Amino acid sequence: ENENEKNIVSCFTKTSQAIERCPAYVTPAFLSVATAQHACEPARKNNSYCVVTCRDNVDKIEWMAYDRRWCMKNPYECGKYSDYIPIEEYETPQTETKKIRGSCSGGRGISTISNPRGHASGFDNRDEMLETIKELTIGILARGTESKTLNESLYSWAYGGLLERVGETIIYLNQRNVLVNAVVEPYTKPPYNVKVMGDHHNANIGYPLNWMTGNATKPFFLFLEKDFQLTENVHCIEEQLYHGLRLLKEKSAHLVRYRSKRNAGNPNHAENMYRYHEDDCLTSHQPNLFCNVFYWIEKPDKRWPNHFWDCDRKSKRRRRLNDPIFYCTDSYFCNWTNNPSMFAIKWWFDEYVNKSFKVSYSDNSPYTHLEGYMNWEPHSWNDRNWTIAQSEGLFSHRDRRR
Protein backbone atom coordinates (compact mmCIF):
# COMPACT_ATOMS: atom_id res chain seq x y z
CA GLU A 1 0.00 0.00 0.00
CA ASN A 2 1.61 3.26 -1.11
CA GLU A 3 1.00 6.16 1.21
CA ASN A 4 2.35 8.88 -1.06
CA GLU A 5 2.00 11.71 1.42
CA LYS A 6 4.28 9.99 3.93
CA ASN A 7 6.34 8.15 1.34
CA ILE A 8 5.76 4.92 3.30
CA VAL A 9 5.04 1.49 1.87
CA SER A 10 3.30 -1.10 4.04
CA CYS A 11 2.94 -4.74 3.06
CA PHE A 12 0.14 -7.19 3.72
CA THR A 13 -1.08 -10.72 3.10
CA LYS A 14 -4.59 -11.13 1.66
CA THR A 15 -6.61 -14.18 2.64
CA SER A 16 -10.25 -15.02 2.05
CA GLN A 17 -11.13 -13.70 5.49
CA ALA A 18 -9.11 -10.52 5.83
CA ILE A 19 -6.14 -8.39 4.91
CA GLU A 20 -3.34 -9.20 7.35
CA ARG A 21 -0.86 -6.36 7.67
CA CYS A 22 2.82 -7.10 8.06
CA PRO A 23 5.01 -5.66 10.83
CA ALA A 24 6.48 -2.23 10.10
CA TYR A 25 9.93 -3.65 9.36
CA VAL A 26 8.59 -5.56 6.35
CA THR A 27 9.19 -3.21 3.44
CA PRO A 28 9.95 -3.82 -0.25
CA ALA A 29 13.64 -3.28 0.53
CA PHE A 30 13.52 -5.80 3.37
CA LEU A 31 11.82 -8.36 1.16
CA SER A 32 14.25 -7.80 -1.71
CA VAL A 33 17.34 -8.30 0.42
CA ALA A 34 15.87 -11.37 2.14
CA THR A 35 18.48 -11.43 4.89
CA ALA A 36 19.24 -14.93 6.25
CA GLN A 37 16.95 -16.50 3.62
CA HIS A 38 19.52 -18.15 1.36
CA ALA A 39 17.05 -19.43 -1.26
CA CYS A 40 15.45 -15.99 -1.52
CA GLU A 41 18.55 -13.86 -2.03
CA PRO A 42 18.69 -11.71 -5.19
CA ALA A 43 21.54 -13.78 -6.63
CA ARG A 44 19.22 -16.81 -6.76
CA LYS A 45 16.22 -15.08 -8.32
CA ASN A 46 16.53 -17.07 -11.55
CA ASN A 47 16.33 -20.37 -9.67
CA SER A 48 13.80 -19.69 -6.93
CA TYR A 49 11.20 -17.29 -5.63
CA CYS A 50 9.79 -16.74 -2.16
CA VAL A 51 6.43 -16.03 -0.59
CA VAL A 52 6.05 -14.28 2.78
CA THR A 53 3.00 -14.64 5.02
CA CYS A 54 2.09 -12.02 7.64
CA ARG A 55 -0.51 -11.84 10.39
CA ASP A 56 -2.02 -8.83 12.12
CA ASN A 57 -0.27 -7.84 15.35
CA VAL A 58 2.27 -10.66 15.03
CA ASP A 59 5.91 -9.59 14.78
CA LYS A 60 7.10 -12.85 13.20
CA ILE A 61 6.68 -13.51 9.48
CA GLU A 62 6.91 -16.80 7.60
CA TRP A 63 9.14 -17.36 4.54
CA MET A 64 8.53 -20.11 2.01
CA ALA A 65 10.92 -20.77 -0.90
CA TYR A 66 9.98 -22.45 -4.19
CA ASP A 67 12.14 -23.80 -7.00
CA ARG A 68 11.06 -22.16 -10.28
CA ARG A 69 11.66 -25.11 -12.59
CA TRP A 70 9.93 -27.55 -10.28
CA CYS A 71 6.97 -25.18 -9.82
CA MET A 72 6.56 -24.81 -13.57
CA LYS A 73 5.93 -28.54 -13.73
CA ASN A 74 3.94 -28.66 -10.47
CA PRO A 75 2.17 -25.28 -10.19
CA TYR A 76 -0.51 -26.61 -7.86
CA GLU A 77 2.15 -27.49 -5.27
CA CYS A 78 3.58 -23.97 -5.03
CA GLY A 79 2.62 -20.60 -3.62
CA LYS A 80 1.19 -18.06 -6.03
CA TYR A 81 3.87 -16.11 -7.91
CA SER A 82 2.96 -12.42 -8.19
CA ASP A 83 3.96 -10.31 -11.16
CA TYR A 84 5.77 -7.04 -10.59
CA ILE A 85 3.44 -4.05 -10.17
CA PRO A 86 4.71 -0.45 -10.42
CA ILE A 87 4.28 1.10 -7.00
CA GLU A 88 2.29 4.04 -8.36
CA GLU A 89 -0.28 1.56 -9.68
CA TYR A 90 -0.52 -0.54 -6.53
CA GLU A 91 -3.75 -0.44 -4.50
CA THR A 92 -4.94 -2.24 -1.41
CA PRO A 93 -7.62 -4.78 -2.40
CA GLN A 94 -10.91 -4.68 -0.58
CA THR A 95 -12.65 -7.68 0.97
CA GLU A 96 -16.36 -8.21 0.46
CA THR A 97 -18.98 -8.66 3.16
CA LYS A 98 -21.23 -11.62 2.43
CA LYS A 99 -24.81 -12.05 3.59
CA ILE A 100 -24.96 -15.11 5.83
CA ARG A 101 -27.95 -17.40 6.31
CA GLY A 102 -28.82 -18.16 9.90
CA SER A 103 -27.59 -16.67 13.16
CA CYS A 104 -23.81 -16.59 12.59
CA SER A 105 -21.94 -13.28 12.52
CA GLY A 106 -19.19 -14.21 10.08
CA GLY A 107 -16.70 -14.93 12.86
CA ARG A 108 -16.62 -11.39 14.23
CA GLY A 109 -16.08 -12.65 17.75
CA ILE A 110 -17.94 -13.45 20.95
CA SER A 111 -17.75 -9.77 21.96
CA THR A 112 -20.60 -9.14 19.48
CA ILE A 113 -23.02 -11.01 21.76
CA SER A 114 -25.83 -8.76 22.87
CA ASN A 115 -27.58 -11.42 24.94
CA PRO A 116 -25.20 -14.20 26.11
CA ARG A 117 -28.12 -16.09 27.64
CA GLY A 118 -30.20 -15.86 24.49
CA HIS A 119 -30.90 -18.47 21.87
CA ALA A 120 -31.05 -18.97 18.14
CA SER A 121 -33.69 -16.64 16.79
CA GLY A 122 -36.64 -18.21 15.02
CA PHE A 123 -36.09 -21.79 16.19
CA ASP A 124 -39.47 -23.37 16.81
CA ASN A 125 -38.62 -25.59 19.79
CA ARG A 126 -35.66 -24.39 21.82
CA ASP A 127 -36.07 -27.17 24.39
CA GLU A 128 -35.47 -29.69 21.63
CA MET A 129 -32.38 -27.76 20.50
CA LEU A 130 -30.84 -27.58 23.98
CA GLU A 131 -31.67 -31.20 24.75
CA THR A 132 -29.98 -32.29 21.52
CA ILE A 133 -26.83 -30.27 22.25
CA LYS A 134 -26.58 -31.96 25.67
CA GLU A 135 -25.83 -35.20 23.78
CA LEU A 136 -22.39 -33.77 22.97
CA THR A 137 -19.06 -34.22 24.76
CA ILE A 138 -16.32 -31.70 23.99
CA GLY A 139 -12.80 -33.15 24.09
CA ILE A 140 -9.95 -30.62 24.32
CA LEU A 141 -6.29 -31.47 23.72
CA ALA A 142 -3.43 -29.30 25.00
CA ARG A 143 0.14 -29.51 26.30
CA GLY A 144 1.68 -28.11 29.44
CA THR A 145 3.87 -25.86 27.28
CA GLU A 146 0.78 -24.23 25.73
CA SER A 147 -0.86 -22.76 28.84
CA LYS A 148 -1.14 -19.20 27.48
CA THR A 149 -2.92 -20.29 24.30
CA LEU A 150 -5.16 -22.70 26.25
CA ASN A 151 -6.04 -19.97 28.74
CA GLU A 152 -7.29 -17.65 26.01
CA SER A 153 -9.23 -20.40 24.26
CA LEU A 154 -10.86 -21.60 27.49
CA TYR A 155 -11.95 -18.06 28.20
CA SER A 156 -13.58 -17.80 24.77
CA TRP A 157 -15.34 -21.18 25.13
CA ALA A 158 -16.63 -20.34 28.62
CA TYR A 159 -17.51 -16.67 28.19
CA GLY A 160 -19.03 -17.36 24.78
CA GLY A 161 -21.51 -19.83 26.26
CA LEU A 162 -20.20 -23.02 24.63
CA LEU A 163 -19.16 -25.05 27.69
CA GLU A 164 -22.45 -24.51 29.52
CA ARG A 165 -24.50 -25.77 26.60
CA VAL A 166 -22.90 -29.16 25.99
CA GLY A 167 -23.36 -32.35 28.00
CA GLU A 168 -19.79 -32.53 29.29
CA THR A 169 -16.25 -31.31 28.64
CA ILE A 170 -13.02 -33.31 28.96
CA ILE A 171 -9.51 -31.87 28.71
CA TYR A 172 -6.49 -34.07 28.07
CA LEU A 173 -3.17 -32.46 29.05
CA ASN A 174 0.01 -33.81 27.49
CA GLN A 175 3.16 -32.92 29.50
CA ARG A 176 0.94 -31.83 32.35
CA ASN A 177 2.51 -29.42 34.84
CA VAL A 178 1.65 -27.01 37.66
CA LEU A 179 1.24 -24.02 35.34
CA VAL A 180 -1.33 -25.60 33.03
CA ASN A 181 -3.15 -27.13 36.00
CA ALA A 182 -3.65 -23.63 37.37
CA VAL A 183 -5.13 -22.50 34.04
CA VAL A 184 -7.62 -25.37 33.93
CA GLU A 185 -8.58 -25.56 37.62
CA PRO A 186 -11.21 -22.74 37.69
CA TYR A 187 -13.14 -24.49 34.91
CA THR A 188 -13.41 -27.76 36.86
CA LYS A 189 -16.05 -26.10 39.05
CA PRO A 190 -19.71 -25.29 38.26
CA PRO A 191 -21.14 -24.28 35.89
CA TYR A 192 -18.50 -25.85 33.59
CA ASN A 193 -17.45 -28.98 35.55
CA VAL A 194 -14.59 -29.77 33.17
CA LYS A 195 -12.98 -33.19 33.67
CA VAL A 196 -9.18 -33.32 33.37
CA MET A 197 -7.01 -36.20 32.16
CA GLY A 198 -3.30 -36.54 31.34
CA ASP A 199 0.12 -36.74 32.97
CA HIS A 200 3.71 -35.58 32.42
CA HIS A 201 4.16 -37.70 29.28
CA ASN A 202 3.49 -36.52 25.72
CA ALA A 203 1.08 -39.04 24.16
CA ASN A 204 0.63 -37.05 20.92
CA ILE A 205 -2.95 -36.98 19.54
CA GLY A 206 -4.11 -40.51 18.73
CA TYR A 207 -4.02 -41.98 22.23
CA PRO A 208 -5.58 -38.95 23.99
CA LEU A 209 -8.36 -38.84 21.39
CA ASN A 210 -9.16 -42.48 22.08
CA TRP A 211 -8.97 -41.99 25.83
CA MET A 212 -11.29 -38.97 25.76
CA THR A 213 -13.86 -40.65 23.52
CA GLY A 214 -13.58 -43.81 25.63
CA ASN A 215 -14.35 -41.88 28.82
CA ALA A 216 -17.10 -39.73 27.30
CA THR A 217 -20.61 -40.34 28.62
CA LYS A 218 -22.40 -38.75 25.65
CA PRO A 219 -22.87 -40.32 22.19
CA PHE A 220 -21.33 -37.51 20.12
CA PHE A 221 -17.91 -35.89 20.35
CA LEU A 222 -16.52 -32.48 19.33
CA PHE A 223 -12.71 -32.48 19.13
CA LEU A 224 -10.91 -29.20 19.84
CA GLU A 225 -7.22 -28.45 20.02
CA LYS A 226 -6.09 -25.74 22.41
CA ASP A 227 -5.54 -23.07 19.70
CA PHE A 228 -9.05 -22.79 18.25
CA GLN A 229 -10.90 -19.91 19.85
CA LEU A 230 -14.65 -19.43 19.68
CA THR A 231 -15.52 -16.53 17.37
CA GLU A 232 -19.31 -16.74 17.23
CA ASN A 233 -22.33 -15.74 19.32
CA VAL A 234 -24.53 -18.11 21.30
CA HIS A 235 -27.26 -18.07 18.66
CA CYS A 236 -24.77 -19.39 16.12
CA ILE A 237 -23.40 -21.97 18.59
CA GLU A 238 -26.82 -23.47 19.20
CA GLU A 239 -27.79 -23.42 15.55
CA GLN A 240 -24.54 -24.91 14.22
CA LEU A 241 -24.27 -27.67 16.84
CA TYR A 242 -27.95 -28.63 16.61
CA HIS A 243 -27.96 -28.95 12.83
CA GLY A 244 -24.59 -30.72 12.81
CA LEU A 245 -25.86 -33.28 15.32
CA ARG A 246 -29.03 -33.68 13.28
CA LEU A 247 -26.98 -34.52 10.17
CA LEU A 248 -25.02 -37.16 12.11
CA LYS A 249 -28.21 -38.70 13.50
CA GLU A 250 -29.87 -38.77 10.08
CA LYS A 251 -26.73 -40.41 8.57
CA SER A 252 -26.46 -37.48 6.15
CA ALA A 253 -22.85 -36.97 7.27
CA HIS A 254 -20.18 -38.96 9.11
CA LEU A 255 -18.18 -35.97 10.34
CA VAL A 256 -18.93 -32.24 10.65
CA ARG A 257 -16.17 -29.63 10.48
CA TYR A 258 -16.40 -26.46 12.59
CA ARG A 259 -13.48 -24.23 11.65
CA SER A 260 -14.94 -20.80 10.82
CA LYS A 261 -15.51 -20.22 7.12
CA ARG A 262 -15.04 -16.44 7.32
CA ASN A 263 -12.54 -16.18 10.16
CA ALA A 264 -10.55 -19.40 9.83
CA GLY A 265 -7.31 -17.91 11.13
CA ASN A 266 -3.87 -18.70 9.76
CA PRO A 267 -2.37 -20.71 8.29
CA ASN A 268 -4.72 -22.15 5.69
CA HIS A 269 -2.34 -24.22 3.56
CA ALA A 270 -4.91 -25.21 0.95
CA GLU A 271 -5.70 -21.57 0.27
CA ASN A 272 -2.02 -20.70 -0.08
CA MET A 273 -1.64 -23.50 -2.63
CA TYR A 274 -4.84 -23.38 -4.68
CA ARG A 275 -6.60 -20.03 -4.43
CA TYR A 276 -7.39 -18.73 -7.97
CA HIS A 277 -6.61 -22.13 -9.56
CA GLU A 278 -8.79 -24.43 -7.48
CA ASP A 279 -9.34 -27.06 -10.18
CA ASP A 280 -5.65 -27.94 -10.13
CA CYS A 281 -6.22 -29.54 -6.73
CA LEU A 282 -8.48 -32.18 -8.31
CA THR A 283 -5.59 -33.49 -10.44
CA SER A 284 -2.89 -33.09 -7.80
CA HIS A 285 -1.30 -35.84 -5.71
CA GLN A 286 -3.57 -34.83 -2.81
CA PRO A 287 -7.10 -34.20 -4.16
CA ASN A 288 -8.50 -34.61 -0.67
CA LEU A 289 -7.56 -30.99 -0.01
CA PHE A 290 -10.23 -29.88 -2.47
CA CYS A 291 -13.06 -29.40 0.04
CA ASN A 292 -11.03 -26.61 1.64
CA VAL A 293 -11.95 -24.29 -1.24
CA PHE A 294 -15.14 -23.91 0.80
CA TYR A 295 -13.32 -21.33 2.94
CA TRP A 296 -13.07 -18.80 0.11
CA ILE A 297 -15.67 -19.91 -2.46
CA GLU A 298 -19.35 -19.06 -2.00
CA LYS A 299 -21.91 -21.74 -2.98
CA PRO A 300 -19.30 -24.26 -4.15
CA ASP A 301 -22.07 -26.68 -5.18
CA LYS A 302 -22.96 -24.36 -8.08
CA ARG A 303 -19.43 -24.48 -9.46
CA TRP A 304 -18.61 -28.12 -8.64
CA PRO A 305 -21.93 -30.01 -8.36
CA ASN A 306 -20.11 -33.35 -8.59
CA HIS A 307 -18.01 -32.60 -5.49
CA PHE A 308 -20.23 -30.44 -3.24
CA TRP A 309 -23.89 -30.87 -2.41
CA ASP A 310 -26.45 -29.55 0.03
CA CYS A 311 -26.35 -32.06 2.91
CA ASP A 312 -30.12 -31.78 3.27
CA ARG A 313 -30.90 -32.51 -0.36
CA LYS A 314 -32.29 -35.96 0.53
CA SER A 315 -33.73 -34.99 3.89
CA LYS A 316 -37.48 -35.16 4.50
CA ARG A 317 -37.16 -32.21 6.86
CA ARG A 318 -38.50 -28.96 5.48
CA ARG A 319 -35.80 -26.30 5.79
CA ARG A 320 -36.89 -22.94 7.09
CA LEU A 321 -35.97 -19.89 5.09
CA ASN A 322 -33.10 -18.78 7.32
CA ASP A 323 -31.66 -22.16 8.35
CA PRO A 324 -27.92 -22.57 7.72
CA ILE A 325 -26.80 -24.61 4.72
CA PHE A 326 -24.29 -27.40 5.31
CA TYR A 327 -22.28 -28.47 2.27
CA CYS A 328 -21.18 -32.09 2.00
CA THR A 329 -18.19 -33.67 0.23
CA ASP A 330 -16.90 -37.23 -0.15
CA SER A 331 -13.81 -37.98 1.93
CA TYR A 332 -11.83 -38.67 -1.27
CA PHE A 333 -11.95 -34.92 -1.79
CA CYS A 334 -11.97 -33.91 1.88
CA ASN A 335 -9.03 -34.69 4.12
CA TRP A 336 -9.03 -35.64 7.78
CA THR A 337 -7.83 -32.67 9.80
CA ASN A 338 -7.10 -32.10 13.48
CA ASN A 339 -9.17 -28.90 13.21
CA PRO A 340 -12.50 -28.76 15.14
CA SER A 341 -14.62 -31.74 14.09
CA MET A 342 -17.68 -33.56 15.41
CA PHE A 343 -18.59 -37.22 14.98
CA ALA A 344 -20.45 -40.11 16.63
CA ILE A 345 -18.31 -41.95 19.19
CA LYS A 346 -19.68 -45.32 18.08
CA TRP A 347 -18.55 -44.58 14.51
CA TRP A 348 -15.07 -43.66 15.76
CA PHE A 349 -14.65 -46.89 17.72
CA ASP A 350 -16.29 -49.17 15.17
CA GLU A 351 -14.35 -47.82 12.20
CA TYR A 352 -11.03 -46.74 13.70
CA VAL A 353 -10.15 -47.75 17.26
CA ASN A 354 -11.33 -51.34 16.80
CA LYS A 355 -10.74 -51.63 13.06
CA SER A 356 -8.44 -49.41 10.96
CA PHE A 357 -5.99 -48.60 13.75
CA LYS A 358 -5.30 -52.31 14.21
CA VAL A 359 -4.20 -52.81 10.60
CA SER A 360 -1.19 -51.16 8.95
CA TYR A 361 -0.18 -51.28 5.28
CA SER A 362 2.83 -49.01 5.73
CA ASP A 363 4.96 -47.36 8.41
CA ASN A 364 2.27 -44.77 9.19
CA SER A 365 0.91 -44.87 12.73
CA PRO A 366 -2.22 -43.14 14.06
CA TYR A 367 -0.56 -42.88 17.45
CA THR A 368 2.54 -40.98 16.38
CA HIS A 369 1.05 -38.79 13.61
CA LEU A 370 -2.73 -39.05 13.31
CA GLU A 371 -3.14 -36.50 10.50
CA GLY A 372 -0.39 -38.12 8.43
CA TYR A 373 -1.87 -41.57 8.99
CA MET A 374 -5.37 -40.53 7.95
CA ASN A 375 -4.24 -38.77 4.80
CA TRP A 376 -1.60 -41.23 3.55
CA GLU A 377 -2.25 -44.68 5.00
CA PRO A 378 -4.08 -46.86 2.42
CA HIS A 379 -7.73 -47.55 3.24
CA SER A 380 -7.74 -45.27 6.28
CA TRP A 381 -9.71 -42.24 5.09
CA ASN A 382 -9.67 -41.16 1.44
CA ASP A 383 -11.33 -44.25 -0.04
CA ARG A 384 -13.73 -44.93 2.83
CA ASN A 385 -16.61 -42.95 1.26
CA TRP A 386 -17.24 -40.87 4.35
CA THR A 387 -19.44 -37.80 3.94
CA ILE A 388 -17.92 -34.63 5.41
CA ALA A 389 -20.11 -31.60 6.20
CA GLN A 390 -19.09 -27.93 6.47
CA SER A 391 -21.01 -24.76 7.27
CA GLU A 392 -20.27 -21.32 8.75
CA GLY A 393 -18.37 -22.90 11.64
CA LEU A 394 -17.48 -21.60 15.09
CA PHE A 395 -13.71 -21.53 15.70
CA SER A 396 -10.71 -19.53 14.51
CA HIS A 397 -7.08 -20.70 14.71
CA ARG A 398 -5.18 -18.55 17.23
CA ASP A 399 -1.81 -19.79 18.54
CA ARG A 400 0.00 -17.44 20.94
CA ARG A 401 3.31 -19.22 20.37
CA ARG A 402 3.25 -17.96 16.75
Side-chain angles (χ1 to χ4, degrees), residues 252-286:
S252 296
H254 295 97
L255 182 142
V256 184
R257 288 179 165 198
Y258 280 107
R259 186 170 180 173
S260 173
K261 173 179 174 65
R262 303 174 197 281
N263 190 8
N266 283 308
N268 187 334
H269 298 298
E271 181 174 13
N272 295 338
M273 295 168 64
Y274 297 113
R275 187 175 173 88
Y276 306 119
H277 56 110
E278 291 83 6
D279 290 290
D280 286 338
C281 183
L282 293 171
T283 56
S284 73
H285 76 289
Q286 197 173 358

Side-chain angles (χ1 to χ4, degrees), residues 19 71 98 200 247 251 257 260 304 348 379-380 401:
I19 291 175
C71 288
K98 304 291 183 181
H200 66 281
L247 290 174
K251 310 298 184 184
R257 288 179 165 198
S260 173
W304 299 285
W348 179 254
H379 314 304
S380 63
R401 297 172 305 163

Side-chain angles (χ1 to χ4, degrees), residues 254 330-332 381-387:
H254 295 97
D330 187 273
S331 57
Y332 186 85
W381 182 262
N382 301 329
D383 58 357
R384 297 289 293 275
N385 300 122
W386 304 134
T387 299

